[in-house]
Amino acid sequence: MERLIIKNGLVFDPLNNIDGEVKDILIENSKIVDKFSKEKEIKEINANGKTVIPAAIDIHTHIASQQVNWVRLLGTKNELFKNVWNRLTLKNFARNYISNGYTFILEANVYPSLANQTVFNFSLLPVLDKAMLLNVSNMWPLEIEFQRGKIEDMSVFLSDLLSITKGFGLKVYNPFESESWNFQKLRKEVSGKGRLYNFSALDVYENLTRANEHLGLPHSIHAHIEGYEDIKAKNNLFTILNKVNSLDLQPNSKINSEIKRTQIFHIAHASAYNVDGNNSELINMVNSNENIDLDLGFIGFDQINPLITSDRRLIDSLLKANNSEATHKLIRAAIEFEGDTFATFRNFDKKNIANCYLWANALDIALNVKNIWQIQFSINFPNYANITDVPEIATWLMSKSARDTFMKDMNSDFLKENSLINNDKILTFNEFVILTRASPAKSLGLGSIKGNLGIGADADINIIDLSINDIDISKNPNSIKTDLSNIEYVIKAGTIIKEQEKIDLSLQGKIFWSQGKPEKEDKSLIMKSKKEFYEKFGSIFYDSLKISIENESLREIK
């Protein structure tokens, strides 16, 4: 579609300070424009009485890693999995994401040696734009740099690694925990050094945060904190956050974008770190530090959830809780130089008080962080919820009666103690748009092209068959739930990919990637030593990590 005009829609566009204004949106050659180059062959959508918003962005998902294939294998004979998750096929991923208004997803945890599998899945995933974060926090080739804090040298290697694998950013995830586990122990403190290396997990968090800013990548370092869903996580979280704050770093995104991120540290699935249900310390920390942001990790209480993780502690705790080998079968593997990987299923139960706290934590944080631009909507898909749960989760945020109704049959002790019972706060629809669209785009460093309806932005747009200003969502949450469940129009790069019940999966999205901008002039000696490390100690050569893919499938952010 070359030219398209959306007429008279009620527009919400937080990145451009538009909060419910009736206006037209003009689209030409996949971008939003202020005027057309010629007044011919213009398709018109009459959006009178409808609401127009940017398309949604999933900042934390697991849909294209090797572990997803393992889940499909484990679910071959599991009828509940097949019925609830529709076998997790790539086309069903796309259909469900599009139906709920999404056009961009971020695969949040990929080991460099498995990036080829992710890119292969990306190439078969229709319509959606996508990107991946490389998990580099367990990499033995960076041993010297982690130990000595050689940020420039580390940055050269990481930039090259991103370039050859087409990664978008960096993930830090339980650094070198597998070394302790191999001695059949759990690490006591993230500040403790290992037996085989002379640095701590805390050093890895620090050095990767520094390297990320040195490179000026679009997104900040993206952190999974050790011990999540365990009481140990709270102590680890604040040890790490205090260290990050002490670095006195400023966001240093070097990409050519007017709208840049404001954080230097992103916390993944923030609901998972306060299993006692007390989020006050985390909320206070975020409220007093603009250089931290987080995605929320909502629980959907589906009948069954795939679990895709690299967290040994979580797997260990689930095995112990079941007092058996496992309620569900488990596939596990260790990737040399890089870390661990697991796939299984789990069940969340509204009668389980720990599960109820996880559910409440995401809401508590969302309702009490002062600056909503520091938080982003996420469901840790598919670990915590299905994308089809998003419309109901939206009602919990915008209607107290909706969340009270959902809470009624939860654990009785939870209902006595949880602060949500007496919390009357709700989000406005504009704040929901920030949470699901504008804030994720800004955090990812894509705010100038995604998550907004300004001139020059990608024409990724939702049209909802409802005038938000004509209803009180807090009193009538089912109205918004119904319309968010089946968004009338979804437009991707100027093409209508969903119109009412019809979905067009013929469009192919782009793979976003970035290599940052290392400042060291002589890169050859550093890369020579890294390649020699792989040749000497690994079973693969470094150059074998290079991805082969057509340039037209890629979009470099620089």
Side-chain angles (χ1 to χ4, degrees), residues 225 227-231 233-234 268-275 279 295-297 358 361-362 365 380 384:
I225 307 299
Y228 88 129
E229 295 190 35
D230 186 274
I231 195 64
K234 181 174 286 194
H269 39 67
S271 59
Y273 303 112
N274 297 309
V275 293
N279 299 286
D295 63 81
L296 291 160
L358 282 175
N361 286 348
I365 296 167
N380 197 11
Y384 280 0

Side-chain angles (χ1 to χ4, degrees), residues 75-346:
T76 302
K77 297 182 179 180
N78 188 318
E79 295 303 317
L80 188 57
F81 162 71
K82 288 188 284 188
N83 291 335
V84 173
W85 293 90
N86 219 353
R87 298 178 184 268
L88 285 179
T89 66
L90 292 169
K91 283 192 175 181
N92 284 327
F93 278 151
R95 285 183 180 276
N96 288 339
Y97 267 98
I98 292 165
S99 294
N100 285 273
Y102 285 80
T103 59
F104 185 97
I105 60 98
L106 180 74
E107 169 62 53
N109 183 42
V110 177
Y111 289 127
S113 64
L114 301 179
N116 191 58
Q117 174 72 55
T118 297
V119 170
F120 175 74
N121 285 335
F122 278 171
S123 68
L124 298 177
L125 179 66
V127 180
L128 303 174
D129 287 333
K130 43 261 176 179
M132 64 176 165
L133 301 178
L134 296 184
N135 185 338
V136 295
S137 48
N138 296 276
M139 295 196 70
W140 283 105
L142 288 172
E143 176 187 4
I144 299 300
E145 286 76 11
F146 286 144
Q147 180 176 322
R148 300 179 184 176
K150 301 174 71 174
I151 303 303
E152 287 191 355
D153 291 4
M154 184 188 306
S155 298
V156 168
F157 173 70
L158 292 174
S159 176
D160 194 81
L161 189 65
L162 287 164
S163 177
I164 66 172
T165 60
K166 304 310 173 192
F168 179 76
L170 304 175
K171 181 70 171 271
V172 55
Y173 194 133
N174 294 30
F176 288 88
E177 186 186 48
S178 57
E179 190 262 3
S180 299
W181 190 272
N182 289 336
F183 290 107
Q184 298 183 342
K185 291 183 178 181
L186 287 173
R187 182 164 53 204
K188 292 182 179 180
E189 302 291 343
V190 291
S191 56
K193 296 181 179 180
R195 293 192 186 188
L196 303 179
Y197 49 87
N198 191 29
F199 56 89
S200 68
L202 192 60
D203 293 327
V204 177
Y205 281 101
E206 174 184 345
N207 289 325
L208 284 178
T209 302
R210 289 186 182 277
N212 197 99
E213 297 312 308
H214 183 80
L215 283 171
L217 292 169
H219 187 38
S220 66
I221 201 71
H222 189 113
H224 170 115
I225 307 299
E226 182 171 321
Y228 88 129
E229 295 190 35
D230 186 274
I231 195 64
K232 184 68 177 173
K234 181 174 286 194
N235 181 62
N236 287 340
L237 175 63
F238 291 104
T239 298
I240 293 163
L241 291 182
N242 287 329
K243 167 58 74 173
V244 169
N245 282 334
S246 74
L247 302 179
D248 198 29
L249 291 175
Q250 295 299 315
N252 186 31
S253 177
K254 298 177 182 177
I255 63 168
N256 299 319
S257 171
E258 291 184 10
I259 301 173
K260 299 181 184 294
R261 60 176 165 87
T262 55
Q263 87 282 2
I264 64 167
F265 197 83
H266 177 90
I267 305 168
H269 39 67
S271 59
Y273 303 112
N274 297 309
V275 293
D276 57 359
N278 183 356
N279 299 286
S280 58
E281 192 174 359
L282 175 58
I283 291 168
N284 290 337
M285 174 71 81
V286 175
N287 284 341
S288 60
N289 292 277
E290 293 184 355
N291 61 1
I292 298 168
D293 77 353
L294 52 86
D295 63 81
L296 291 160
F298 287 96
I299 305 293
F301 287 102
D302 302 293
Q303 292 173 280
I304 190 171
N305 280 86
L307 176 59
I308 295 166
T309 184
S310 294
D311 195 301
R312 284 180 174 267
R313 284 176 178 265
L314 177 62
I315 294 298
D316 184 56
S317 65
L318 291 177
L319 292 176
K320 288 179 179 177
N322 291 322
N323 295 314
S324 64
E325 177 59 26
T327 300
H328 300 286
K329 296 293 184 182
L330 170 70
I331 295 178
R332 65 175 76 199
I335 312 299
E336 65 177 10
F337 294 172
E338 297 178 351
D340 306 301
T341 182
F342 305 91
T344 185
F345 294 105
R346 71 187 300 186

Side-chain angles (χ1 to χ4, degrees), residues 47-79:
N48 184 44
K50 304 177 191 293
T51 300
V52 180
I53 58 177
I57 293 169
D58 194 340
I59 196 172
H60 189 110
T61 184
H62 303 278
I63 72 168
S65 64
Q66 186 184 52
Q67 294 101 306
V68 180
N69 289 335
W70 292 352
V71 167
R72 295 182 184 115
L73 176 63
L74 289 170
T76 302
K77 297 182 179 180
N78 188 318
E79 295 303 317

Side-chain angles (χ1 to χ4, degrees), residues 51-58 93-105 127-129 387-391 432-433 436-438 450-451 453 459-464 481-493 497-498 500 503:
T51 300
V52 180
I53 58 177
I57 293 169
D58 194 340
F93 278 151
R95 285 183 180 276
N96 288 339
Y97 267 98
I98 292 165
S99 294
N100 285 273
Y102 285 80
T103 59
F104 185 97
I105 60 98
V127 180
L128 303 174
D129 287 333
I387 204 68
T388 55
D389 298 327
V390 169
F432 176 72
V433 175
T436 54
R437 284 129 169 109
K450 299 287 185 184
L453 302 177
D460 293 0
I461 301 169
N462 295 172
I463 303 176
I464 303 170
K481 177 181 176 181
T482 299
D483 285 285
L484 287 177
S485 297
N486 191 19
I487 292 174
E488 183 178 19
Y489 284 93
V490 179
I491 298 165
K492 170 72 178 65
I497 56 173
K498 183 179 188 300
Q500 298 175 344
I503 297 178

